[in-house]
Amino acid sequence: MNLTEPFSWLVHLITLFLLTISIVAGAVAAGNNVILKPSNDVPFSSTLLEDLFSRYLDPAVVSVVGPRVPGDGIDVMTALLAEKFDFIFFTGSTRVGSIVAQRAGAKLTPYALELGGKNPVFVTPTADLQIAAKQCIWGRTLNSGQQCIAPEYVLCHHAILGEFTFELKCWIAKLISDPYSEGCMGQLVGGGSVARNATDRAVRFLDKIGTAGEKLVCGGGYRKELGMIEPTVVICGWDSELMQDELFCPILCVIPYHDLKDTAVMVRFRPKPLALYIFSRSTIEQRTVLDNTTSGGVTINGVIYHAGHSSLPFGGVGESGSGVYHGRHTIDCFQHKKPVLKKWRGVGDVGIISDPFFIYGPYRNGGMKTKLLRLVGYMS
């Protein structure tokens, strides 16, 4: 018999509104009590979460902490991690995720981490370039690029580089004709200090274009007062500063490649991404990338879709996280599978089957007990 039981008390450290609702729902459905610490980078959403949960749910089941505490939230998070919980779920950066993992490890607390990273897109010569370009622009500008599964950079075969970048520019013009208009692309969000301000951070990335041979294809503009930058496409190399950290804004890097397998191997030796995307009509090319890379999940001939499929587990690997959830997998994430075996006793067999004599010592090499034990071992 295999029983599942809730972890009981878990703490949930997270940024995004929609993710918060779905994960808390799964944790409660699994039988847990939840302490939720939303991000201070989204104060209005965090305050709304606190109001909604306190209004509709018993605070003994779900409690929200931190939204009305002044500061950047680090003090609240530090205080929470000093406590002993049965499970920790964290969504955020790899840097903070490593801190959460260290604090959890010190108390031997199990955890799940959904982090991020630089998600690559492979565009091969057999790809439908219109679909590839449209999907890349859609995925990169959705929520202004502020998604852990957004395409970060494109590895495009050198023979189709010109045609592909032309398609990128066309789809930006069609999908994001005026990036500064309300509701077109969304604002960059992030705290008040210069170090944490998302718009200032994105502008610093724009300022790096051209410093190491990068070529601006389109975009590059911004309006700080609106917290927005234009969809920007940059051709660059592996050594560009734009390829060092997760950008988390609508800047799309394009790197030309010559050999698909060699390029896939290069991706494999970089920090493992949360998502990976392949645009190719060739099954051989698709398998070449899949067999030579590691990532949390993959969509072929599209972006983001695998994360929206409720039947598929979603999660990272290595630097992009650990543990999986979504749909039924969310409940499984927050439950412990406890095996239970019940032995039959007093069934009238005089112990021949229910309590066989040969499981007890002493044993002699070549003796009957030893032979019977080996026979049972072969049969099991």
Side-chain angles (χ1 to χ4, degrees), residues 54-332:
S54 62
R55 184 185 309 171
Y56 295 110
L57 289 179
D58 186 341
V61 177
V62 179
S63 299
V64 183
V65 298
R68 303 181 195 278
V69 178
D72 55 12
I74 294 177
D75 291 344
V76 176
M77 189 168 179
T78 301
L80 282 173
L81 291 175
E83 300 296 325
K84 172 63 178 174
F85 291 97
D86 297 296
F87 194 88
I88 296 174
F89 192 106
F90 171 76
T91 295
S93 69
T94 300
R95 181 184 64 83
V96 179
S98 66
I99 296 173
V100 172
Q102 291 174 31
R103 299 291 179 84
K107 290 179 166 46
L108 298 180
T109 300
Y111 57 83
L113 306 174
E114 193 218 291
L115 309 178
K118 297 187 75 66
N119 306 313
V121 183
F122 287 84
V123 178
T124 76
T126 67
D128 182 328
L129 296 187
Q130 284 197 1
I131 286 293
K134 179 165 67 171
Q135 284 281 295
C136 285
I137 295 305
W138 169 69
R140 195 66 189 131
T141 58
L142 189 65
N143 199 33
S144 206
Q146 299 167 113
Q147 295 185 86
C148 54
I149 54 174
E152 274 267 326
Y153 65 99
V154 179
L155 298 162
C156 177
H157 193 272
H158 69 97
I160 56 172
L161 179 64
E163 185 180 355
F164 178 67
T165 53
F166 174 77
E167 290 291 344
L168 289 174
K169 289 191 291 184
C170 290
W171 282 109
I172 287 176
K174 292 178 182 178
L175 300 177
I176 317 289
S177 57
D178 180 9
Y180 304 116
S181 62
E182 184 176 354
C184 188
M185 198 170 63
Q187 291 181 309
L188 295 170
V189 297
S193 67
V194 174
R196 291 169 59 84
N197 187 281
T199 306
D200 288 339
R201 181 174 179 272
V203 170
R204 289 197 295 272
F205 286 132
L206 292 176
D207 291 340
K208 293 177 181 179
I209 298 175
T211 59
E214 297 90 351
K215 178 184 176 182
L216 181 66
V217 176
C218 61
Y222 60 88
R223 290 179 64 179
K224 279 191 176 183
E225 72 277 11
L226 296 179
M228 303 180 74
I229 71 168
E230 297 175 2
T232 301
V233 177
V234 181
I235 298 175
C236 66
W238 291 101
D239 58 345
S240 171
E241 288 192 60
L242 297 176
M243 288 299 297
Q244 303 308 309
D245 298 315
E246 184 179 7
L247 300 178
F248 221 61
C249 64
I251 300 175
L252 183 67
C253 296
V254 181
I255 302 177
Y257 76 87
H258 287 76
D259 184 84
L260 182 61
K261 183 175 181 180
D262 289 346
T263 305
V265 171
M266 290 185 69
V267 171
R268 187 178 71 207
F269 285 105
R270 292 172 63 85
K272 295 177 176 59
L274 183 60
L276 183 147
Y277 306 112
I278 307 167
F279 287 92
S280 171
R281 292 188 178 98
S282 167
T283 303
I284 294 176
E285 290 176 339
Q286 295 168 10
R287 289 301 315 186
T288 297
V289 176
L290 291 173
D291 292 344
N292 290 280
T293 58
T294 301
S295 62
V298 178
T299 294
I300 298 175
N301 292 322
V303 299
I304 298 175
Y305 292 114
H306 70 280
H309 197 301
S310 61
S311 296
L312 293 176
F314 175 74
V317 59
E319 294 87 344
S320 60
S322 61
V324 295
Y325 66 107
H326 277 196
R328 171 70 208 188
H329 303 286
T330 306
I331 296 177
D332 293 338

Side-chain angles (χ1 to χ4, degrees), residues 1-21:
M1 179 167 50
N2 189 20
L3 296 181
T4 57
E5 63 181 11
F7 284 107
S8 187
W9 276 101
L10 62 92
V11 61
H12 182 201
L13 313 168
I14 199 165
T15 301
L16 299 178
F17 193 96
L18 182 59
L19 282 180
T20 301
I21 299 295

